[in-house]
Amino acid sequence: MSVIAAGAPIAVDDVVIRDTAAVAAGHVPVVALVGRPNVGKSTFFASVSGRYAETANVPGTTIVAARREIHLAGMSAVLVDLPGALSLGDASDGTAPFWQMLLAAQPDALLVIVDAGDLGRHLPLVLACRDLGLPIVVAANLSDEAAGRGISLDTGRLSQLLVAPVFRTIGRRSVGTREAVAAAIYRAAAFHARALRTTPFPPYMMSTVAAVNALARDLSKGSAAQPEPALMNALGARSLTPVAAATIALEQRLDAERWQIAAHWTAQVEARHDVPRPVNDRLARMATSPRIGLPLLAVLTAGVLLITMFVGTWLANLLGMAWSNFVSPIVTGAVDRSVPIPALQEAIKWALDSGLLAMLTVGLPFVLIFLVIIAALEDSGYLASTAVLTDRLFNAVGLPGRAMIPIFTAAGCNVPAIYSTRVLDTRRERLLASLLIVMTPCSARSAVVVAALAPFVGPFVALAAFGVILLTTIVSGVASNALLPGRQSPVVLDIPPLRLPVPRQVAAKAWFRFKSFVRTAAPIMIVGSFVLGLVYSSGANDPIEQVLSPVTVGMLGLPPVVGVALVLAFLRKELALQLLVVLSVAEIGPAAANLNQFMSPEQLFVYAVVTAISVPCIASMASLVDEFGWRSALAIAGALLGIGIALGTVLNVVLS
């Protein structure tokens, strides 16, 4: 094979020039983090910036670019965390290729993060980034795991081959991360000031080099045959040079050689030693084996729910007693003394006493506990293993096994899960997955099911409710697969190793999500309770209940007042239970905080299931609109409403 010498430039004047008007004032250098999925970019990003970033040990966690200004080693820069990509042209159906997102970040340098234990599969992306003509710094991340498998890298030799700095890093422990980012900032600043020139091409075959240069000349003259409009726009905006644009246009041809070069270079820099197989590898093999993995998945799922039920119920009772004995008398007394208007007085009590009590006894015990458990499972990498186990199940609903990742993510929150469907290849698959996602109980809906059933009817009834929801979701998925035209696309999923969760990261992730929940839910809960207080004190609730009663009473067999809570749950799903407690207290007094005094066990079961399945919350609805447009979003919401009411009606008839 005829090649040019390593590091030899192809075009003397090949320097990337960009319009940097959008960069922060003073032309602060921009460093973009690039890497394959599940290589630890977001953990790296959080480690350096000192602030939490949404992470999970599964592919597809980062679905939009995150930007933060950082100050390191006396230098300032903007750090951009980009979604994981297998190549510059990586794109799902209907979405822009990765290189366009990369250019939109307007980087002055790239920090390319690779897996130190799997260098051969990561180097092609490094070479593609280097071909853009931007300065690069390479972080050989997960080096502790590589060492555990007997793999060591000669980073000095790799740096010579790439003509770029290479750092050995452990992002989860913040080892080497600051040094790698500091080097990238320095190179970005030097490149922006034109004090640093890059060498854009590794050793390709001479015929390939000639083809790139020929296409670059045609692109610069505007005479290229059928050029991609996005490439021409980037050239016109001076975001790419002709040579860089040519490497993108010829990506398929170049990728074949990049993989050969990657294999050749990996053999030069990688040494492997015989070591005992790590325990986490053996555990991962067991977790993905159907004989062991499926029972383990069932036990873990039941365990998560039971822990949430028992611990959450205990905490809810404890907090409820403390509030009733110590806080409630102070709040109600202060309102009685300071507010002379009776109707306004009652409305404020609804908001500050009943509303906050409901928020406290549902949000803290159930939502927070569930978020901590889900964060630990995500950080361990176990969720990705479930994709292998459930592949056959998801094939039945027209989805690949890796659809399990966004759907399991939905157990925490439906919103990021909907955006995570971008890891799927076609719009059809994303629509099917999104339907299953909004039918999957998030932490808020799980809290409603658990808090409505476990304390008053029993934990096993709550498990039965989740079983009904699961069965309904599967049947709905099979039916949707039959109705939507198209076929499942073949998919290959990178399965990460199992890792011991880092307590600090688990706590930060759970607390970040819980704070987001509180910031969103608390104002809605307080304002909603206040409005309900005004409605009830004025008697305006009767007409509303009468309008809803054909469904609430006639079909679902629930008390009339429950319809108001179901409707307002569109704002936040956990409000369905919190407002139910508020409304029941308003109907029959403080004893109704024990919902057994207000509704029968059968009614509580119907209410919990209907709340979990019916119309998605407003945040999930907005995400569906953003991803698929109003028509598809309304179709999904309408389907859920119909399924929820139909299922509730059937349950009402059967249980009655």
Side-chain angles (χ1 to χ4, degrees), residues 107-415:
D108 296 292
L110 304 179
L111 176 55
V112 189
I113 302 176
V114 302
D115 186 345
D118 194 16
L119 185 65
R121 291 206 304 158
H122 290 250
L123 273 182
L125 180 60
V126 179
L127 299 176
C129 290
R130 188 171 179 264
D131 290 349
L132 295 177
L134 288 166
I136 68 168
V137 172
V138 177
N141 200 33
L142 308 174
S143 57
D144 55 335
E145 294 182 4
R149 293 178 175 83
I151 300 172
S152 60
L153 295 181
D154 184 348
T155 54
R157 177 56 179 157
L158 182 59
S159 178
Q160 290 176 343
L161 292 169
L162 291 170
V163 195
V166 178
F167 292 83
R168 188 176 288 108
T169 64
I170 307 173
R172 286 155 55 92
R173 300 179 187 172
S174 301
V175 175
T177 55
R178 295 174 66 86
E179 292 81 359
V181 172
I185 295 173
Y186 174 81
R187 289 173 69 83
F191 181 72
H192 187 81
R194 301 298 174 83
L196 174 70
R197 298 185 66 82
T198 62
T199 305
F201 273 82
Y204 293 124
M205 295 177 60
M206 292 301 297
S207 59
T208 302
V209 173
V212 169
N213 279 328
L215 180 57
R217 285 191 295 270
D218 291 342
L219 288 171
S220 62
K221 297 175 182 177
S223 58
Q226 298 181 336
E228 184 180 346
L231 274 180
M232 298 307 296
N233 291 337
L235 280 171
R238 306 181 74 187
S239 299
L240 285 173
T241 62
V243 170
T247 65
I248 294 174
L250 297 175
E251 183 180 42
Q252 289 188 345
R253 176 172 178 176
L254 289 169
D255 264 352
E257 295 188 35
R258 285 172 184 150
W259 281 92
Q260 294 180 15
I261 296 168
H264 180 61
W265 286 4
T266 299
Q268 294 185 49
V269 303
E270 185 181 88
R272 292 180 176 264
H273 314 282
D274 290 332
V275 296
R277 190 172 186 179
V279 174
N280 59 338
D281 280 4
R282 296 198 293 271
L283 291 175
R285 187 179 184 87
M286 294 168 61
T288 54
S289 167
R291 180 177 299 178
I292 300 175
L294 288 174
L296 177 62
L297 177 60
V299 169
L300 276 176
T301 302
V304 168
L305 296 176
L306 288 173
I307 290 173
T308 306
M309 290 176 196
F310 286 113
V311 179
T313 300
W314 177 77
L315 277 176
N317 292 333
L318 184 65
L319 292 170
M321 290 175 56
W323 182 278
S324 299
N325 293 330
F326 300 106
V327 180
S328 181
I330 297 174
V331 172
T332 55
V335 173
D336 288 340
R337 289 190 299 270
S338 57
V339 180
I341 305 173
L344 184 60
Q345 187 181 93
E346 288 303 311
I348 294 176
K349 287 181 183 179
W350 274 57
L352 298 183
D353 187 20
S354 301
L356 288 178
L357 171 61
M359 182 78 189
L360 185 67
T361 55
V362 174
L364 187 59
F366 296 102
V367 175
L368 181 58
I369 290 172
F370 194 77
L371 289 177
V372 170
I373 296 173
I374 290 297
L377 289 174
E378 287 179 348
D379 207 43
S380 71
Y382 177 72
L383 296 190
S385 300
T386 61
V388 176
L389 293 172
T390 57
D391 183 67
R392 184 170 297 179
L393 172 64
F394 279 100
N395 288 344
V397 297
L399 292 171
R402 72 173 179 180
M404 180 63 180
I405 294 169
I407 290 173
F408 213 120
T409 302
C413 179
N414 286 178
V415 173

Side-chain angles (χ1 to χ4, degrees), residues 16-97:
V16 176
I17 304 171
R18 300 153 329 285
D19 177 11
T20 57
V23 180
H27 298 293
V28 176
V30 177
V31 175
L33 272 61
V34 178
R36 288 172 66 98
N38 200 53
V39 76
K41 290 185 293 75
S42 296
T43 303
F44 206 98
F45 183 70
S47 169
V48 176
S49 64
R51 295 171 56 192
Y52 173 77
E54 187 67 48
T55 65
N57 191 16
V58 294
T61 303
T62 305
I63 38 82
V64 293
R67 299 172 69 96
R68 285 184 190 156
E69 186 168 354
I70 63 170
H71 305 278
L72 191 62
M75 299 178 289
S76 296
V78 173
L79 201 61
V80 182
D81 181 22
L82 295 171
L86 303 178
S87 66
L88 292 181
D90 198 8
S92 298
D93 179 35
T95 61

Side-chain angles (χ1 to χ4, degrees), residues 21 89 122-123 310 456 551 606 636:
H122 290 250
L123 273 182
F310 286 113
F456 311 117
V551 174
V606 171
I636 291 175

Side-chain angles (χ1 to χ4, degrees), residues 364-623:
L364 187 59
F366 296 102
V367 175
L368 181 58
I369 290 172
F370 194 77
L371 289 177
V372 170
I373 296 173
I374 290 297
L377 289 174
E378 287 179 348
D379 207 43
S380 71
Y382 177 72
L383 296 190
S385 300
T386 61
V388 176
L389 293 172
T390 57
D391 183 67
R392 184 170 297 179
L393 172 64
F394 279 100
N395 288 344
V397 297
L399 292 171
R402 72 173 179 180
M404 180 63 180
I405 294 169
I407 290 173
F408 213 120
T409 302
C413 179
N414 286 178
V415 173
I418 291 169
Y419 287 114
S420 293
T421 59
R422 295 177 186 177
V423 301
L424 302 176
D425 287 339
T426 66
R427 177 181 172 85
R428 177 183 184 273
E429 290 178 353
R430 294 200 299 274
L431 279 169
L432 285 172
S434 295
L435 173 65
L436 299 183
I437 283 169
V438 293
M439 294 187 72
T440 301
C442 63
S443 57
R445 285 183 284 171
S446 296
V448 170
V449 175
V450 171
L453 296 178
F456 311 117
V457 188
F460 294 104
V461 176
L463 286 177
F466 281 110
V468 170
I469 294 167
L470 175 61
L471 180 61
T472 305
T473 302
I474 293 173
V475 172
S476 301
V478 172
S480 300
N481 180 38
L483 292 173
L484 279 177
R487 293 184 177 180
Q488 173 193 330
S489 61
V491 181
V492 177
L493 174 67
D494 287 335
I495 301 297
L498 292 182
R499 296 164 181 152
L500 190 65
V502 179
R504 173 176 53 85
Q505 293 180 0
V506 171
K509 179 184 299 185
W511 185 245
F512 175 84
R513 293 174 177 175
F514 184 69
K515 284 195 300 182
S516 176
F517 155 75
V518 171
R519 288 193 188 109
T520 305
I524 296 174
M525 186 64 203
I526 293 172
V527 174
S529 298
F530 178 79
V531 172
L532 281 176
L534 289 178
V535 169
Y536 267 74
S537 60
S538 66
N541 58 299
D542 291 335
I544 299 174
E545 292 174 8
Q546 289 175 7
V547 171
L548 298 175
S549 62
V551 174
T552 307
V553 181
M555 300 177 70
L556 303 180
L558 302 175
V561 69
V562 172
V564 178
L566 283 173
V567 170
L568 291 178
F570 173 65
L571 299 176
R572 290 283 301 192
K573 281 295 181 178
E574 63 276 1
L575 296 184
L577 183 65
Q578 295 165 347
L579 290 176
L580 178 62
V581 174
V582 174
L583 292 169
S584 63
V585 170
E587 287 284 313
I588 64 174
N594 182 341
L595 291 176
N596 269 334
Q597 304 295 320
F598 180 60
M599 297 168 67
S600 69
E602 294 82 8
Q603 288 176 323
L604 285 172
F605 191 90
V606 171
Y607 180 78
V609 171
V610 171
T611 299
I613 289 183
S614 60
V615 183
C617 70
I618 191 170
S620 298
M621 191 68 184
S623 301

